Amino acid sequence: MDDLVQQAMAKWPNVPDCYGWLGLDARGDWYMRDEQVQAVGPFTQSKGSRLVHEKLMAFIARNYVCDAQGQWFFQNGPQRVYVELEATPWVLRLQPDGSIQSHTGTHARMQRCIVDEHGRLYLDTDQGFGLVHSQDVYQAAECIEAGLWVPQQVLAQKLPNRFGYVRSPQQQQTQQVRT
């Protein structure tokens, strides 16, 4: 986490959390979701504006972490901006040398390979659980055919519980407020 972010957290410890304003899609792209976009529906229906500003995306990537409940967020100074996930907290890219890199640019080591009933391929890594980017499925299939990876079948609906992440912190927050 950036030093300036940590200093802001210490200076302003009681800033309310932010829900619904940031999303991560299945291709590893960040989306800004204003009130109008959120009013149309959840992230899977209404993504918003794709972020393209490289320094902003790098700042988000450096300050992207998870809380104890499995909700992923971007620490924006003193404020937690919870992230709506289209699929998983990580989107993983296979590199030409066979290494694995997350959507934030950090390297990861595979621990286990997972496939769901729709044929989507996931990796459980030392960094966490992530979806293999759609452009890298052919390369991943070569690893499977060579016997380097042995996928385990898991139903898509069971993935968040099994791997400890929340796809919609906004929906979870709304449910908690109602009870």
Side-chain angles (χ1 to χ4, degrees):
M1 201 172 286
D2 290 357
D3 286 339
L4 286 175
V5 170
Q6 291 178 349
Q7 291 170 14
M9 290 167 58
K11 188 172 182 177
W12 298 291
N14 298 318
V15 174
D17 297 334
C18 179
Y19 293 89
W21 286 79
L22 185 63
L24 176 68
D25 78 356
R27 296 180 63 82
D29 291 324
W30 298 106
Y31 284 81
M32 189 64 64
R33 305 181 70 240
D34 62 19
E35 289 176 349
Q36 285 182 307
V37 170
Q38 291 180 51
V40 174
F43 182 58
T44 54
Q45 294 174 351
S46 179
K47 286 187 176 180
S49 300
R50 186 172 156 265
L51 297 181
V52 294
H53 190 278
E54 289 184 29
K55 289 186 179 184
L56 174 57
M57 293 184 309
F59 180 62
I60 292 170
R62 287 192 312 272
N63 298 286
Y64 180 60
V65 292
C66 181
D67 69 14
Q69 289 75 42
Q71 300 176 110
W72 286 82
F73 64 93
F74 150 55
Q75 189 70 46
N76 183 23
Q79 184 173 53
R80 283 185 177 185
V81 179
Y82 281 93
V83 178
E84 298 293 299
L85 304 173
E86 183 176 5
T88 60
W90 299 103
V91 177
L92 304 168
R93 299 298 314 254
L94 305 182
Q95 303 304 299
D97 67 359
S99 65
I100 302 165
Q101 189 175 38
S102 75
H103 69 278
T104 63
T106 58
H107 289 280
R109 283 185 301 242
M110 185 188 72
Q111 297 171 336
R112 172 176 359 164
C113 179
I114 306 290
V115 66
D116 70 14
E117 69 273 21
H118 305 290
R120 289 180 293 229
L121 189 64
Y122 307 85
L123 300 178
D124 187 16
T125 72
D126 60 341
Q127 190 174 75
F129 188 71
L131 176 68
V132 173
H133 193 286
S134 60
Q135 290 181 333
D136 298 338
V137 171
Y138 180 78
Q139 185 179 353
E142 290 177 334
C143 292
I144 293 168
E145 287 179 8
L148 301 173
W149 298 357
V150 179
Q152 299 172 1
Q153 287 277 151
V154 178
L155 294 174
Q157 68 184 23
K158 295 187 179 219
L159 293 172
N161 278 347
R162 181 165 178 183
F163 294 99
Y165 64 94
V166 174
R167 286 187 53 208
S168 179
Q170 181 180 34
Q171 183 180 28
Q172 187 164 312
Q173 174 67 16
T174 302
Q175 290 171 349
Q176 289 174 354
V177 168
R178 289 182 186 157
T179 56

